[in-house]
Amino acid sequence: MDSIIFDLDGTLWDSREAVVKACNQVIKQYEELEEITVEDLKATMGLQADDISRKLFPNISEEDGKAVLQKCFEVEIQYIEKRGGQLYENLNKVLEKLSRDYKLFIVSNCQAGYIEAFFTYHQLGRYFVDFENPGRTGLSKGENIKLVMERNELKTPVYVGDTDGDQKAAHYAGIPFVYAKYGFGEVEKYDYYIEKVEELVDMF
């Protein structure tokens, strides 16, 4: 194994409280929309933007839902840059140890600027070689994993994530999947699993 590619939400941190607060600042501007909750957001983890807007805003048109979600994304990034999210326990130490022996990457189904906001507030960018998301490329998670593999000439990476979509993306890219059981999703098929992020250090 030469590298580890991570999902972000539910794998490295939990940003749901921050995201909900940011989104509700936008939603309050629309009489036809109800504020969302952390549980509402949990149901969207691992999805791409179009699917998220349909789940969160089913009572308005798809076009209007996309527009509202885009405004949410913009406020969300500003919010996270200033307040961050909840890192999983000992994440900084885990990344520091792993980065000594492996190249680290992030591929997440998020908007452009989200991973950068994660790096900005928590000062963790120094551990990662590269990252990608559909907000920049318009590609699926599996395609973005392959893109990162190709441009960084990775031969034997693994993907660490917490949802069924993550498993399918890793399978699409032809690499092993490590299921983060502490995250947001339920996954039946996986090559390895961890109960907490620290277990990655001993696993590899």
Side-chain angles (χ1 to χ4, degrees):
M1 189 184 77
D2 61 359
S3 52
I4 305 173
I5 307 174
F6 290 94
D7 172 50
L8 182 49
D9 293 328
T11 302
L12 298 180
W13 74 343
D14 183 350
S15 66
R16 290 176 298 174
E17 290 286 353
V19 170
V20 165
K21 290 178 181 177
C23 285
N24 282 334
Q25 289 180 19
V26 175
I27 290 171
K28 287 178 181 178
Q29 302 171 28
Y30 298 85
E31 292 183 0
E32 66 271 36
L33 297 179
E34 294 184 2
E35 292 188 2
I36 63 172
T37 66
V38 168
E39 284 303 309
D40 292 332
L41 196 65
K42 184 177 180 180
T44 72
M45 291 300 174
L47 301 179
Q48 290 192 287
D50 288 353
D51 294 321
I52 292 173
S53 64
R54 282 192 288 267
K55 272 191 171 292
L56 292 182
F57 314 122
N59 297 326
I60 59 177
S61 70
E62 187 169 335
E63 183 177 348
D64 288 344
K66 289 180 181 180
V68 173
L69 187 63
Q70 183 57 44
K71 291 182 180 179
C72 287
F73 283 165
E74 294 168 4
V75 175
E76 181 180 309
I77 289 172
Q78 297 171 3
Y79 196 96
I80 288 173
E81 283 180 339
K82 295 178 180 178
R83 297 173 177 82
Q86 180 63 49
L87 300 181
Y88 287 122
E89 188 174 2
N90 295 322
L91 179 65
N92 203 316
K93 292 181 180 179
V94 170
L95 294 176
E96 193 277 327
K97 289 179 181 178
L98 291 174
S99 67
R100 296 174 191 170
D101 300 312
Y102 308 103
K103 294 179 179 179
L104 306 184
F105 304 84
I106 295 177
V107 173
S108 174
N109 270 349
C110 61
Q111 69 272 31
Y114 185 83
I115 298 173
E116 295 93 324
F118 166 75
F119 288 157
T120 296
Y121 185 84
H122 294 288
Q123 297 295 298
L124 296 175
R126 64 188 181 277
Y127 297 126
F128 295 92
V129 177
D130 194 7
F131 63 91
E132 200 50 270
N133 58 73
R136 294 202 308 187
T137 66
L139 301 175
S140 70
K141 180 171 280 187
E143 291 169 327
N144 279 326
I145 292 173
K146 292 185 73 171
L147 179 63
V148 165
M149 289 170 61
E150 290 167 3
R151 73 183 179 213
N152 291 281
E153 300 182 343
L154 306 183
K155 304 300 182 184
T156 54
V158 298
Y159 187 75
V160 184
D162 67 307
T163 68
D164 187 60
D166 291 335
Q167 184 276 325
K168 290 176 180 176
H171 179 76
Y172 176 88
I175 62 175
F177 175 64
V178 181
Y179 173 33
K181 283 193 170 184
Y182 53 84
F184 304 141
E186 297 292 335
V187 180
E188 294 183 359
K189 296 180 180 179
Y190 47 84
D191 299 290
Y192 310 94
Y193 73 87
I194 52 175
E195 300 279 2
K196 52 186 178 179
V197 71
E198 296 99 310
E199 292 177 10
L200 284 172
V201 175
D202 293 329
M203 176 175 289
F204 300 122

mmCIF file of all heavy atoms in Angstrom, residues 71-114:
data_model
loop_
_atom_site.group_PDB
_atom_site.id
_atom_site.type_symbol
_atom_site.label_atom_id
_atom_site.label_comp_id
_atom_site.label_asym_id
_atom_site.label_seq_id
_atom_site.Cartn_x
_atom_site.Cartn_y
_atom_site.Cartn_z
ATOM 1 N N LYS A 71 -26.748 28.628 -2.371
ATOM 2 C CA LYS A 71 -26.585 29.692 -1.377
ATOM 3 C C LYS A 71 -26.150 29.107 -0.037
ATOM 4 O O LYS A 71 -25.314 29.688 0.667
ATOM 5 C CB LYS A 71 -27.892 30.469 -1.223
ATOM 6 C CG LYS A 71 -28.264 31.312 -2.437
ATOM 7 C CD LYS A 71 -29.551 32.086 -2.197
ATOM 8 C CE LYS A 71 -29.929 32.924 -3.418
ATOM 9 N NZ LYS A 71 -31.203 33.667 -3.202
ATOM 10 N N CYS A 72 -26.718 27.943 0.306
ATOM 11 C CA CYS A 72 -26.312 27.260 1.542
ATOM 12 C C CYS A 72 -24.826 26.927 1.505
ATOM 13 O O CYS A 72 -24.115 27.113 2.500
ATOM 14 C CB CYS A 72 -27.123 25.982 1.730
ATOM 15 S SG CYS A 72 -28.840 26.214 2.205
ATOM 16 N N PHE A 73 -24.370 26.423 0.364
ATOM 17 C CA PHE A 73 -22.964 26.059 0.220
ATOM 18 C C PHE A 73 -22.054 27.265 0.465
ATOM 19 O O PHE A 73 -21.023 27.162 1.136
ATOM 20 C CB PHE A 73 -22.698 25.513 -1.180
ATOM 21 C CG PHE A 73 -23.161 24.096 -1.396
ATOM 22 C CD1 PHE A 73 -23.276 23.586 -2.683
ATOM 23 C CD2 PHE A 73 -23.475 23.275 -0.326
ATOM 24 C CE1 PHE A 73 -23.692 22.280 -2.890
ATOM 25 C CE2 PHE A 73 -23.899 21.958 -0.523
ATOM 26 C CZ PHE A 73 -23.998 21.460 -1.813
ATOM 27 N N GLU A 74 -22.435 28.397 -0.086
ATOM 28 C CA GLU A 74 -21.609 29.599 0.039
ATOM 29 C C GLU A 74 -21.495 30.047 1.497
ATOM 30 O O GLU A 74 -20.406 30.365 1.984
ATOM 31 C CB GLU A 74 -22.188 30.716 -0.823
ATOM 32 C CG GLU A 74 -22.111 30.426 -2.318
ATOM 33 C CD GLU A 74 -22.932 31.392 -3.158
ATOM 34 O OE1 GLU A 74 -23.510 32.340 -2.567
ATOM 35 O OE2 GLU A 74 -22.997 31.207 -4.385
ATOM 36 N N VAL A 75 -22.626 30.065 2.207
ATOM 37 C CA VAL A 75 -22.626 30.463 3.615
ATOM 38 C C VAL A 75 -21.911 29.420 4.464
ATOM 39 O O VAL A 75 -21.178 29.744 5.404
ATOM 40 C CB VAL A 75 -24.070 30.679 4.120
ATOM 41 C CG1 VAL A 75 -24.091 30.970 5.613
ATOM 42 C CG2 VAL A 75 -24.733 31.810 3.346
ATOM 43 N N GLU A 76 -22.111 28.163 4.114
ATOM 44 C CA GLU A 76 -21.511 27.040 4.837
ATOM 45 C C GLU A 76 -19.988 27.139 4.853
ATOM 46 O O GLU A 76 -19.345 26.950 5.897
ATOM 47 C CB GLU A 76 -21.954 25.763 4.127
ATOM 48 C CG GLU A 76 -21.486 24.470 4.685
ATOM 49 C CD GLU A 76 -22.035 23.326 3.835
ATOM 50 O OE1 GLU A 76 -23.255 23.277 3.573
ATOM 51 O OE2 GLU A 76 -21.221 22.475 3.422
ATOM 52 N N ILE A 77 -19.390 27.423 3.711
ATOM 53 C CA ILE A 77 -17.929 27.528 3.630
ATOM 54 C C ILE A 77 -17.423 28.669 4.503
ATOM 55 O O ILE A 77 -16.435 28.523 5.227
ATOM 56 C CB ILE A 77 -17.489 27.711 2.159
ATOM 57 C CG1 ILE A 77 -17.707 26.400 1.398
ATOM 58 C CG2 ILE A 77 -16.032 28.134 2.078
ATOM 59 C CD1 ILE A 77 -17.495 26.510 -0.091
ATOM 60 N N GLN A 78 -18.099 29.802 4.450
ATOM 61 C CA GLN A 78 -17.706 30.939 5.290
ATOM 62 C C GLN A 78 -17.799 30.577 6.769
ATOM 63 O O GLN A 78 -16.921 30.923 7.567
ATOM 64 C CB GLN A 78 -18.598 32.139 4.987
ATOM 65 C CG GLN A 78 -18.471 32.662 3.566
ATOM 66 C CD GLN A 78 -19.530 33.708 3.235
ATOM 67 O OE1 GLN A 78 -20.331 34.098 4.083
ATOM 68 N NE2 GLN A 78 -19.554 34.149 1.992
ATOM 69 N N TYR A 79 -18.862 29.866 7.128
ATOM 70 C CA TYR A 79 -19.095 29.473 8.524
ATOM 71 C C TYR A 79 -17.997 28.520 9.002
ATOM 72 O O TYR A 79 -17.439 28.684 10.084
ATOM 73 C CB TYR A 79 -20.467 28.815 8.629
ATOM 74 C CG TYR A 79 -20.994 28.705 10.050
ATOM 75 C CD1 TYR A 79 -21.862 29.664 10.570
ATOM 76 C CD2 TYR A 79 -20.635 27.634 10.863
ATOM 77 C CE1 TYR A 79 -22.362 29.559 11.862
ATOM 78 C CE2 TYR A 79 -21.124 27.528 12.158
ATOM 79 C CZ TYR A 79 -21.983 28.488 12.654
ATOM 80 O OH TYR A 79 -22.457 28.381 13.933
ATOM 81 N N ILE A 80 -17.690 27.516 8.175
ATOM 82 C CA ILE A 80 -16.698 26.520 8.551
ATOM 83 C C ILE A 80 -15.303 27.125 8.639
ATOM 84 O O ILE A 80 -14.507 26.764 9.516
ATOM 85 C CB ILE A 80 -16.734 25.343 7.557
ATOM 86 C CG1 ILE A 80 -18.013 24.520 7.779
ATOM 87 C CG2 ILE A 80 -15.506 24.443 7.720
ATOM 88 C CD1 ILE A 80 -18.226 23.438 6.760
ATOM 89 N N GLU A 81 -14.986 28.041 7.754
ATOM 90 C CA GLU A 81 -13.678 28.697 7.809
ATOM 91 C C GLU A 81 -13.460 29.424 9.132
ATOM 92 O O GLU A 81 -12.333 29.540 9.614
ATOM 93 C CB GLU A 81 -13.534 29.689 6.656
ATOM 94 C CG GLU A 81 -13.252 29.033 5.316
ATOM 95 C CD GLU A 81 -13.126 30.051 4.210
ATOM 96 O OE1 GLU A 81 -13.632 31.197 4.386
ATOM 97 O OE2 GLU A 81 -12.534 29.727 3.167
ATOM 98 N N LYS A 82 -14.553 29.910 9.735
ATOM 99 C CA LYS A 82 -14.452 30.670 10.982
ATOM 100 C C LYS A 82 -14.644 29.813 12.229
ATOM 101 O O LYS A 82 -14.100 30.121 13.293
ATOM 102 C CB LYS A 82 -15.494 31.790 10.990
ATOM 103 C CG LYS A 82 -15.263 32.843 9.915
ATOM 104 C CD LYS A 82 -16.360 33.897 9.950
ATOM 105 C CE LYS A 82 -16.150 34.955 8.872
ATOM 106 N NZ LYS A 82 -17.252 35.963 8.869
ATOM 107 N N ARG A 83 -15.418 28.715 12.101
ATOM 108 C CA ARG A 83 -15.780 27.933 13.291
ATOM 109 C C ARG A 83 -15.384 26.468 13.227
ATOM 110 O O ARG A 83 -15.330 25.791 14.244
ATOM 111 C CB ARG A 83 -17.287 28.035 13.541
ATOM 112 C CG ARG A 83 -17.756 29.454 13.846
ATOM 113 C CD ARG A 83 -19.270 29.510 13.908
ATOM 114 N NE ARG A 83 -19.766 30.831 14.265
ATOM 115 C CZ ARG A 83 -19.907 31.837 13.423
ATOM 116 N NH1 ARG A 83 -19.584 31.667 12.152
ATOM 117 N NH2 ARG A 83 -20.377 33.010 13.815
ATOM 118 N N GLY A 84 -15.104 25.954 12.042
ATOM 119 C CA GLY A 84 -14.700 24.565 11.903
ATOM 120 C C GLY A 84 -15.809 23.584 12.209
ATOM 121 O O GLY A 84 -16.985 23.930 12.264
ATOM 122 N N GLY A 85 -15.421 22.328 12.411
ATOM 123 C CA GLY A 85 -16.358 21.264 12.763
ATOM 124 C C GLY A 85 -15.767 20.439 13.882
ATOM 125 O O GLY A 85 -14.757 20.818 14.479
ATOM 126 N N GLN A 86 -16.366 19.293 14.157
ATOM 127 C CA GLN A 86 -15.907 18.422 15.236
ATOM 128 C C GLN A 86 -15.003 17.331 14.657
ATOM 129 O O GLN A 86 -15.466 16.408 14.009
ATOM 130 C CB GLN A 86 -17.099 17.782 15.951
ATOM 131 C CG GLN A 86 -16.718 16.864 17.096
ATOM 132 C CD GLN A 86 -15.997 17.607 18.209
ATOM 133 O OE1 GLN A 86 -16.447 18.649 18.672
ATOM 134 N NE2 GLN A 86 -14.870 17.067 18.633
ATOM 135 N N LEU A 87 -13.704 17.462 14.891
ATOM 136 C CA LEU A 87 -12.777 16.436 14.444
ATOM 137 C C LEU A 87 -12.969 15.173 15.272
ATOM 138 O O LEU A 87 -13.252 15.237 16.465
ATOM 139 C CB LEU A 87 -11.330 16.909 14.600
ATOM 140 C CG LEU A 87 -10.884 18.158 13.837
ATOM 141 C CD1 LEU A 87 -9.417 18.425 14.131
ATOM 142 C CD2 LEU A 87 -11.108 17.997 12.343
ATOM 143 N N TYR A 88 -12.773 14.023 14.631
ATOM 144 C CA TYR A 88 -12.822 12.788 15.400
ATOM 145 C C TYR A 88 -11.581 12.689 16.290
ATOM 146 O O TYR A 88 -10.531 13.254 15.978
ATOM 147 C CB TYR A 88 -12.964 11.583 14.474
ATOM 148 C CG TYR A 88 -14.350 11.497 13.875
ATOM 149 C CD1 TYR A 88 -14.554 11.498 12.507
ATOM 150 C CD2 TYR A 88 -15.470 11.450 14.700
ATOM 151 C CE1 TYR A 88 -15.835 11.439 11.965
ATOM 152 C CE2 TYR A 88 -16.753 11.395 14.171
ATOM 153 C CZ TYR A 88 -16.921 11.397 12.816
ATOM 154 O OH TYR A 88 -18.197 11.353 12.289
ATOM 155 N N GLU A 89 -11.734 11.968 17.374
ATOM 156 C CA GLU A 89 -10.736 11.941 18.441
ATOM 157 C C GLU A 89 -9.341 11.587 17.924
ATOM 158 O O GLU A 89 -9.163 10.623 17.178
ATOM 159 C CB GLU A 89 -11.157 10.924 19.509
ATOM 160 C CG GLU A 89 -10.303 10.958 20.758
ATOM 161 C CD GLU A 89 -10.836 10.044 21.840
ATOM 162 O OE1 GLU A 89 -11.860 9.362 21.597
ATOM 163 O OE2 GLU A 89 -10.234 9.993 22.919
ATOM 164 N N ASN A 90 -8.373 12.411 18.323
ATOM 165 C CA ASN A 90 -6.948 12.200 18.009
ATOM 166 C C ASN A 90 -6.645 12.242 16.510
ATOM 167 O O ASN A 90 -5.613 11.700 16.074
ATOM 168 C CB ASN A 90 -6.454 10.871 18.588
ATOM 169 C CG ASN A 90 -6.493 10.850 20.103
ATOM 170 O OD1 ASN A 90 -6.204 11.849 20.757
ATOM 171 N ND2 ASN A 90 -6.855 9.714 20.678
ATOM 172 N N LEU A 91 -7.500 12.883 15.722
ATOM 173 C CA LEU A 91 -7.288 12.903 14.278
ATOM 174 C C LEU A 91 -5.938 13.506 13.909
ATOM 175 O O LEU A 91 -5.232 12.977 13.049
ATOM 176 C CB LEU A 91 -8.415 13.676 13.583
ATOM 177 C CG LEU A 91 -8.272 13.764 12.061
ATOM 178 C CD1 LEU A 91 -8.382 12.382 11.432
ATOM 179 C CD2 LEU A 91 -9.305 14.707 11.470
ATOM 180 N N ASN A 92 -5.581 14.599 14.535
ATOM 181 C CA ASN A 92 -4.310 15.254 14.198
ATOM 182 C C ASN A 92 -3.138 14.305 14.376
ATOM 183 O O ASN A 92 -2.269 14.185 13.493
ATOM 184 C CB ASN A 92 -4.132 16.504 15.070
ATOM 185 C CG ASN A 92 -3.197 17.510 14.441
ATOM 186 O OD1 ASN A 92 -2.149 17.156 13.935
ATOM 187 N ND2 ASN A 92 -3.572 18.784 14.477
ATOM 188 N N LYS A 93 -3.107 13.596 15.495
ATOM 189 C CA LYS A 93 -2.014 12.661 15.762
ATOM 190 C C LYS A 93 -2.018 11.504 14.772
ATOM 191 O O LYS A 93 -0.964 11.052 14.318
ATOM 192 C CB LYS A 93 -2.127 12.122 17.191
ATOM 193 C CG LYS A 93 -1.861 13.157 18.275
ATOM 194 C CD LYS A 93 -1.975 12.537 19.659
ATOM 195 C CE LYS A 93 -1.712 13.576 20.748
ATOM 196 N NZ LYS A 93 -1.846 12.985 22.108
ATOM 197 N N VAL A 94 -3.215 11.022 14.434
ATOM 198 C CA VAL A 94 -3.333 9.916 13.489
ATOM 199 C C VAL A 94 -2.803 10.321 12.119
ATOM 200 O O VAL A 94 -2.025 9.585 11.489
ATOM 201 C CB VAL A 94 -4.801 9.449 13.378
ATOM 202 C CG1 VAL A 94 -4.971 8.468 12.221
ATOM 203 C CG2 VAL A 94 -5.254 8.802 14.673
ATOM 204 N N LEU A 95 -3.210 11.488 11.649
ATOM 205 C CA LEU A 95 -2.747 11.955 10.342
ATOM 206 C C LEU A 95 -1.242 12.189 10.334
ATOM 207 O O LEU A 95 -0.565 11.871 9.345
ATOM 208 C CB LEU A 95 -3.480 13.242 9.961
ATOM 209 C CG LEU A 95 -4.985 13.108 9.705
ATOM 210 C CD1 LEU A 95 -5.586 14.483 9.425
ATOM 211 C CD2 LEU A 95 -5.276 12.144 8.557
ATOM 212 N N GLU A 96 -0.727 12.715 11.426
ATOM 213 C CA GLU A 96 0.718 12.960 11.510
ATOM 214 C C GLU A 96 1.485 11.641 11.402
ATOM 215 O O GLU A 96 2.484 11.553 10.671
ATOM 216 C CB GLU A 96 1.032 13.667 12.828
ATOM 217 C CG GLU A 96 2.442 14.255 12.911
ATOM 218 C CD GLU A 96 3.489 13.227 13.312
ATOM 219 O OE1 GLU A 96 3.153 12.318 14.100
ATOM 220 O OE2 GLU A 96 4.637 13.319 12.834
ATOM 221 N N LYS A 97 1.020 10.624 12.091
ATOM 222 C CA LYS A 97 1.693 9.319 12.055
ATOM 223 C C LYS A 97 1.564 8.665 10.680
ATOM 224 O O LYS A 97 2.539 8.151 10.126
ATOM 225 C CB LYS A 97 1.111 8.404 13.130
ATOM 226 C CG LYS A 97 1.485 8.800 14.550
ATOM 227 C CD LYS A 97 0.843 7.863 15.572
ATOM 228 C CE LYS A 97 1.206 8.274 16.991
ATOM 229 N NZ LYS A 97 0.555 7.389 18.006
ATOM 230 N N LEU A 98 0.359 8.675 10.125
ATOM 231 C CA LEU A 98 0.149 8.047 8.828
ATOM 232 C C LEU A 98 0.944 8.725 7.722
ATOM 233 O O LEU A 98 1.454 8.064 6.808
ATOM 234 C CB LEU A 98 -1.340 8.047 8.471
ATOM 235 C CG LEU A 98 -2.256 7.152 9.298
ATOM 236 C CD1 LEU A 98 -3.709 7.389 8.915
ATOM 237 C CD2 LEU A 98 -1.902 5.680 9.121
ATOM 238 N N SER A 99 1.053 10.056 7.801
ATOM 239 C CA SER A 99 1.737 10.807 6.746
ATOM 240 C C SER A 99 3.236 10.532 6.697
ATOM 241 O O SER A 99 3.896 10.868 5.714
ATOM 242 C CB SER A 99 1.479 12.306 6.915
ATOM 243 O OG SER A 99 2.078 12.799 8.092
ATOM 244 N N ARG A 100 3.778 9.926 7.747
ATOM 245 C CA ARG A 100 5.203 9.563 7.740
ATOM 246 C C ARG A 100 5.485 8.445 6.747
ATOM 247 O O ARG A 100 6.569 8.364 6.173
ATOM 248 C CB ARG A 100 5.651 9.114 9.132
ATOM 249 C CG ARG A 100 5.575 10.172 10.215
ATOM 250 C CD ARG A 100 5.910 9.535 11.552
ATOM 251 N NE ARG A 100 5.604 10.415 12.683
ATOM 252 C CZ ARG A 100 5.636 10.022 13.949
ATOM 253 N NH1 ARG A 100 5.970 8.764 14.247
ATOM 254 N NH2 ARG A 100 5.331 10.862 14.925
ATOM 255 N N ASP A 101 4.506 7.553 6.577
ATOM 256 C CA ASP A 101 4.713 6.358 5.763
ATOM 257 C C ASP A 101 3.880 6.305 4.490
ATOM 258 O O ASP A 101 4.198 5.531 3.585
ATOM 259 C CB ASP A 101 4.398 5.110 6.595
ATOM 260 C CG ASP A 101 5.279 4.982 7.819
ATOM 261 O OD1 ASP A 101 6.517 5.129 7.677
ATOM 262 O OD2 ASP A 101 4.745 4.748 8.914
ATOM 263 N N TYR A 102 2.804 7.091 4.432
ATOM 264 C CA TYR A 102 1.903 7.031 3.283
ATOM 265 C C TYR A 102 1.547 8.424 2.785
ATOM 266 O O TYR A 102 1.494 9.377 3.564
ATOM 267 C CB TYR A 102 0.598 6.306 3.662
ATOM 268 C CG TYR A 102 0.816 4.962 4.292
ATOM 269 C CD1 TYR A 102 0.678 4.790 5.666
ATOM 270 C CD2 TYR A 102 1.173 3.860 3.518
ATOM 271 C CE1 TYR A 102 0.879 3.539 6.252
ATOM 272 C CE2 TYR A 102 1.376 2.617 4.092
ATOM 273 C CZ TYR A 102 1.236 2.467 5.462
ATOM 274 O OH TYR A 102 1.444 1.247 6.031
ATOM 275 N N LYS A 103 1.273 8.511 1.502
ATOM 276 C CA LYS A 103 0.723 9.733 0.951
ATOM 277 C C LYS A 103 -0.771 9.759 1.269
ATOM 278 O O LYS A 103 -1.462 8.756 1.075
ATOM 279 C CB LYS A 103 0.936 9.788 -0.555
ATOM 280 C CG LYS A 103 2.401 9.890 -0.969
ATOM 281 C CD LYS A 103 2.530 9.918 -2.481
ATOM 282 C CE LYS A 103 3.990 10.035 -2.907
ATOM 283 N NZ LYS A 103 4.120 10.034 -4.390
ATOM 284 N N LEU A 104 -1.271 10.900 1.745
ATOM 285 C CA LEU A 104 -2.663 11.018 2.152
ATOM 286 C C LEU A 104 -3.429 11.948 1.213
ATOM 287 O O LEU A 104 -2.896 12.972 0.771
ATOM 288 C CB LEU A 104 -2.758 11.549 3.587
ATOM 289 C CG LEU A 104 -1.976 10.783 4.664
ATOM 290 C CD1 LEU A 104 -2.253 11.390 6.029
ATOM 291 C CD2 LEU A 104 -2.310 9.307 4.647
ATOM 292 N N PHE A 105 -4.693 11.604 0.963
ATOM 293 C CA PHE A 105 -5.542 12.348 0.034
ATOM 294 C C PHE A 105 -6.967 12.406 0.584
ATOM 295 O O PHE A 105 -7.342 11.621 1.448
ATOM 296 C CB PHE A 105 -5.566 11.663 -1.338
ATOM 297 C CG PHE A 105 -4.213 11.469 -1.945
ATOM 298 C CD1 PHE A 105 -3.437 10.359 -1.605
ATOM 299 C CD2 PHE A 105 -3.697 12.389 -2.836
ATOM 300 C CE1 PHE A 105 -2.172 10.178 -2.150
ATOM 301 C CE2 PHE A 105 -2.436 12.227 -3.387
ATOM 302 C CZ PHE A 105 -1.670 11.110 -3.045
ATOM 303 N N ILE A 106 -7.750 13.340 0.057
ATOM 304 C CA ILE A 106 -9.184 13.407 0.353
ATOM 305 C C ILE A 106 -9.954 13.446 -0.961
ATOM 306 O O ILE A 106 -9.628 14.232 -1.851
ATOM 307 C CB ILE A 106 -9.549 14.653 1.189
ATOM 308 C CG1 ILE A 106 -8.915 14.592 2.580
ATOM 309 C CG2 ILE A 106 -11.073 14.782 1.315
ATOM 310 C CD1 ILE A 106 -9.175 15.827 3.422
ATOM 311 N N VAL A 107 -10.974 12.597 -1.068
ATOM 312 C CA VAL A 107 -11.950 12.679 -2.162
ATOM 313 C C VAL A 107 -13.322 12.648 -1.510
ATOM 314 O O VAL A 107 -13.702 11.663 -0.874
ATOM 315 C CB VAL A 107 -11.805 11.531 -3.169
ATOM 316 C CG1 VAL A 107 -12.952 11.573 -4.178
ATOM 317 C CG2 VAL A 107 -10.468 11.616 -3.890
ATOM 318 N N SER A 108 -14.058 13.736 -1.646
ATOM 319 C CA SER A 108 -15.345 13.884 -0.967
ATOM 320 C C SER A 108 -16.403 14.382 -1.944
ATOM 321 O O SER A 108 -16.083 15.112 -2.887
ATOM 322 C CB SER A 108 -15.200 14.889 0.191
ATOM 323 O OG SER A 108 -16.438 15.176 0.787
ATOM 324 N N ASN A 109 -17.649 14.000 -1.715
ATOM 325 C CA ASN A 109 -18.767 14.513 -2.520
ATOM 326 C C ASN A 109 -19.228 15.853 -1.969
ATOM 327 O O ASN A 109 -20.320 15.969 -1.422
ATOM 328 C CB ASN A 109 -19.936 13.526 -2.502
ATOM 329 C CG ASN A 109 -19.848 12.520 -3.628
ATOM 330 O OD1 ASN A 109 -19.043 12.666 -4.540
ATOM 331 N ND2 ASN A 109 -20.661 11.486 -3.563
ATOM 332 N N CYS A 110 -18.418 16.856 -2.100
ATOM 333 C CA CYS A 110 -18.738 18.174 -1.544
ATOM 334 C C CYS A 110 -18.565 19.250 -2.600
ATOM 335 O O CYS A 110 -18.103 18.993 -3.712
ATOM 336 C CB CYS A 110 -17.855 18.472 -0.331
ATOM 337 S SG CYS A 110 -16.086 18.506 -0.705
ATOM 338 N N GLN A 111 -18.912 20.462 -2.230
ATOM 339 C CA GLN A 111 -18.768 21.593 -3.122
ATOM 340 C C GLN A 111 -17.336 22.117 -3.107
ATOM 341 O O GLN A 111 -16.577 21.874 -2.173
ATOM 342 C CB GLN A 111 -19.736 22.716 -2.720
ATOM 343 C CG GLN A 111 -19.416 23.413 -1.404
ATOM 344 C CD GLN A 111 -20.037 22.746 -0.194
ATOM 345 O OE1 GLN A 111 -20.220 21.532 -0.172
ATOM 346 N NE2 GLN A 111 -20.348 23.539 0.817
ATOM 347 N N ALA A 112 -16.984 22.832 -4.159
ATOM 348 C CA ALA A 112 -15.677 23.466 -4.216
ATOM 349 C C ALA A 112 -15.529 24.425 -3.033
ATOM 350 O O ALA A 112 -16.448 25.181 -2.719
ATOM 351 C CB ALA A 112 -15.519 24.224 -5.533
ATOM 352 N N GLY A 113 -14.407 24.367 -2.365
ATOM 353 C CA GLY A 113 -14.132 25.247 -1.233
ATOM 354 C C GLY A 113 -14.335 24.602 0.119
ATOM 355 O O GLY A 113 -13.827 25.092 1.127
ATOM 356 N N TYR A 114 -15.066 23.481 0.156
ATOM 357 C CA TYR A 114 -15.390 22.832 1.439
ATOM 358 C C TYR A 114 -14.164 22.186 2.067
ATOM 359 O O TYR A 114 -13.888 22.366 3.259
ATOM 360 C CB TYR A 114 -16.480 21.801 1.195
ATOM 361 C CG TYR A 114 -17.020 21.126 2.430
ATOM 362 C CD1 TYR A 114 -18.008 21.727 3.211
ATOM 363 C CD2 TYR A 114 -16.588 19.855 2.807
ATOM 364 C CE1 TYR A 114 -18.527 21.089 4.331
ATOM 365 C CE2 TYR A 114 -17.104 19.204 3.913
ATOM 366 C CZ TYR A 114 -18.071 19.835 4.672
ATOM 367 O OH TYR A 114 -18.593 19.198 5.780
#
